[in-house]
Amino acid sequence: MKIENTKAQMRKGVLEYCILSILQHEDAYTSEILSHLKDAKLLVVEGTIYPLLTRLKNAGLLSYRWEESTSGPPRKYYALTETGKLFLKELNTTWCDLVEAVNLVTTKKSTKK
């Protein structure tokens, strides 16, 4: 088993949550979202993020608007919808519960032999 495959699957599992979290602070276009993810060492390629953004939009969690750019073509800015904000709130709770559970399992010394 290759560790890179497992690491990629773990990153993929939290990507939606991370994107929604980025957008809770401000609207952003795809390059900005990618930049935030790369800064956090979540390496993602454009070919991965576009279908994910489309899926989140189709689910009603994101909306978008086009804005003219001074340095190229118009940019599509994504924003959380009200449904997206509620969904993110639920994900925050789920994430905290999951982190707590994983920490219990991975850091607790076993008392069973």
Side-chain angles (χ1 to χ4, degrees), residues 9-19 42 95 98:
Q9 288 301 314
M10 291 172 83
R11 281 193 299 270
K12 228 185 252 188
V14 297
L15 202 50
E16 282 184 18
Y17 178 48
C18 291
I19 290 170
L42 286 167
W95 179 253
L98 181 61

Side-chain angles (χ1 to χ4, degrees), residues 15 18-20 22-23 26-40 42 44 49 52-53 56 62 76-79:
L15 202 50
C18 291
I19 290 170
L20 295 173
I22 289 166
L23 294 172
E26 63 184 349
D27 299 355
Y29 62 98
T30 307
S31 294
E32 290 175 323
I33 296 168
L34 281 168
S35 179
H36 283 290
L37 294 170
K38 287 178 183 175
D39 288 347
L42 286 167
V44 180
I49 199 164
L52 182 51
L53 289 169
L56 292 170
L62 298 180
K76 186 188 275 190
Y77 279 81
Y78 290 90

Side-chain angles (χ1 to χ4, degrees), residues 50-111:
Y50 284 111
L52 182 51
L53 289 169
T54 299
R55 191 168 75 238
L56 292 170
K57 181 190 70 67
N58 290 344
L61 304 178
L62 298 180
S63 62
Y64 69 86
R65 71 180 187 286
W66 288 98
E67 268 190 32
E68 291 298 323
S69 169
T70 57
S71 61
R75 293 176 174 165
K76 186 188 275 190
Y77 279 81
Y78 290 90
L80 282 181
T81 61
E82 286 305 313
T83 302
K85 290 175 186 174
L86 293 171
F87 189 79
L88 178 58
K89 187 176 178 182
E90 288 292 321
L91 284 180
N92 282 330
T93 301
T94 301
W95 179 253
C96 290
D97 292 346
L98 181 61
V99 166
E100 186 177 327
V102 170
N103 283 338
L104 279 172
V105 171
T106 59
T107 61
K108 187 175 182 178
K109 293 190 178 53
S110 178
T111 57

